[in-house]
Amino acid sequence: MPEIVLTDLNKYFGDVGAVKDLDLVIPDGAFFTLLGPSGCGKTTTLRMIAGLTKPTTGQITIGGKTVFDSTTWTIVPPGKRKLGMVFQSYALWPHMTVWENIAFPLRIKKMSADTIKTKIDTVMDQVQIRGLEKRYASELSGGQQQRVAVARELVTGVDVLLMDEPLGNLDAQLRIEMRSELKKLHASTGQTIIYVTHDQLEAMTMSTHVAVMKDGLLQQLSGPDDIYAKPRNTFVAEFIGDTPINLLDMEVKEGRLESKKLGIQLPLTEQHKKVKGKVILGIRPECLKVVTEQSPTTIKAIVDTVLPAGSEVLLRIRLHEEFLNIVAPRGVQATMDQDIYIDFDMNEVCIFDQDTGTNLLAG
């Protein structure tokens, strides 16, 4: 399977930059997700890789072969890039059986019946839909329909699958099931998948690589764990995570983080001691602990709201004019307007520059 390389890729619609100065390497066999809010350029990037949208400038190579280059005006049409596209609706023919849906692109190419049978037998085993050959699309579950749509692309010999918000039309429970199905499918086929979504939970649970975008610019490219634990800037920190990260304006003074406004003083760890000046302290809600005893890393606050959520409790606490989010284990003792002590896990904090929002510890 090919490596896909985007070099200094730009796409402008008039004066509006949809994708700007994008450099990406998508490794063989990756589950590579383009993640970001609406209008960030992720779908435009996918369409440029597919050949459906022509870049303004830059270069795209697939498996070492140049499919677009603005300097030489090399443009390889979509049909010759060996890429498959799985749509949000799956686009299955309702009047055809599973077998007929998968066979359709092969019949268009006028392949022999024996060749078609061999190819379909192989791909049906790959995506684990053996036994569904005679069913119609309306008789399939959402997961089965998705597998048939993928099989129809794989059977043509595509090297890469492109998916643009394929779970967008599903209800919450089915989305959970489909995430598992897609992850198993990727593991079983080893296929390179480029996946577009605005749903950070989809990206975090399925991907091997996540590229976070904003306003056409790449913000961070990392594995899911690093995207969460080591965000490159405050945008990534706030965009990733079910419960929002806590961000506090502070200043480094005499080896401590201080906020006179909030009455906070926290000790710096060894890894933080190179940081100076005015900063933003970022800490995930699960890294704040409700405690009964004070220490150098605890603060006193007031409980604003208590929201039981099954296996955990979501607390909102008030610290003068600021509010902090805490994800606490089920059974934590807290009531509204109660005084409470909160401990900061200083080994898990991020420290961002107040002016640029850049993570000062990211390297």
Side-chain angles (χ1 to χ4, degrees), residues 104-112 155-157:
F104 184 77
L106 303 183
R107 287 174 172 164
I108 291 293
K109 294 181 179 181
K110 298 183 179 180
M111 292 186 180
S112 68
V155 80
T156 63

Side-chain angles (χ1 to χ4, degrees), residues 8-304:
D8 196 20
L9 202 63
N10 292 271
K11 178 59 185 178
Y12 281 81
F13 296 97
D15 294 331
V16 178
V19 175
K20 308 167 195 172
D21 305 323
L22 181 60
D23 292 300
L24 278 182
V25 176
I26 301 172
D28 300 351
F31 195 123
F32 193 102
T33 296
L34 297 165
L35 173 67
S38 297
C40 72
K42 55 189 185 295
T43 293
T44 301
T45 300
L46 189 80
R47 290 178 60 85
M48 288 192 289
I49 294 171
L52 302 175
T53 295
K54 186 173 76 173
T56 304
T57 59
Q59 184 185 65
I60 302 172
T61 64
I62 300 176
K65 178 185 177 182
T66 300
V67 297
F68 177 83
D69 191 325
S70 60
T71 60
T72 61
W73 288 112
T74 301
I75 303 175
V76 175
K80 294 186 177 180
R81 297 191 184 192
K82 296 193 76 176
L83 307 174
M85 192 117 183
V86 177
F87 298 94
Q88 193 175 83
S89 64
Y90 307 138
L92 300 178
W93 297 103
H95 64 287
M96 293 183 183
T97 64
V98 167
W99 178 277
E100 290 167 339
N101 265 284
I102 299 173
F104 184 77
L106 303 183
R107 287 174 172 164
I108 291 293
K109 294 181 179 181
K110 298 183 179 180
M111 292 186 180
S112 68
D114 287 344
T115 300
I116 291 174
K117 182 179 185 308
T118 299
K119 286 181 174 289
I120 293 180
D121 282 345
T122 300
V123 79
M124 290 189 80
D125 288 334
Q126 255 188 321
V127 301
Q128 300 173 22
I129 53 173
R130 177 70 66 187
L132 302 180
E133 294 93 325
K134 297 181 180 179
R135 293 195 194 178
Y136 291 91
S138 60
E139 300 174 321
L140 302 177
S141 69
Q144 290 168 337
Q145 288 184 37
Q146 188 174 69
R147 286 174 176 269
V148 173
V150 170
R152 186 178 55 189
E153 298 301 325
L154 293 180
V155 80
T156 63
V158 297
D159 294 321
V160 179
L161 284 176
L162 308 179
M163 296 185 171
D164 190 0
E165 305 264 12
L167 309 185
N169 290 334
L170 306 180
D171 60 48
Q173 184 58 42
L174 191 52
R175 285 172 80 101
I176 294 172
E177 294 175 15
M178 290 303 95
R179 288 200 294 267
S180 296
E181 290 291 324
L182 274 176
K183 193 158 188 174
K184 287 194 292 185
L185 184 67
H186 178 251
S188 64
T189 63
Q191 199 78 18
T192 300
I193 295 176
I194 305 176
Y195 190 96
V196 163
T197 184
H198 66 275
D199 186 327
Q200 52 96 11
L201 189 57
E202 284 182 19
M204 299 292 282
T205 52
M206 295 190 296
S207 310
T208 59
H209 301 71
V210 180
V212 181
M213 298 182 70
K214 177 192 177 189
D215 298 334
L217 294 169
L218 179 65
Q219 302 296 307
Q220 183 168 349
L221 170 57
S222 302
D225 289 343
D226 278 350
I227 287 281
Y228 186 79
K230 300 174 183 177
R232 288 280 174 165
N233 55 44
T234 50
F235 171 78
V236 177
E238 291 183 287
F239 190 76
I240 299 295
D242 283 339
T243 305
I245 191 171
N246 300 295
L247 297 174
L248 297 170
D249 288 341
M250 304 191 79
E251 188 172 1
V252 178
K253 285 187 176 180
E254 299 177 357
R256 296 190 304 271
L257 282 165
E258 293 185 1
S259 171
K260 290 182 179 179
K261 178 182 175 182
L262 301 177
I264 296 177
Q265 286 190 354
L266 294 169
L268 290 169
T269 66
E270 284 299 320
Q271 65 170 329
H272 301 148
K273 288 190 175 178
K274 63 182 180 180
V275 175
K276 297 179 181 179
K278 293 183 178 181
V279 298
I280 298 171
L281 173 72
I283 187 164
R284 295 287 180 189
E286 66 274 14
C287 299
L288 290 172
K289 309 294 182 185
V290 178
V291 295
T292 55
E293 297 181 358
Q294 285 187 281
S295 75
T297 56
T298 61
I299 62 169
K300 187 178 180 180
I302 298 171
V303 177
D304 184 64

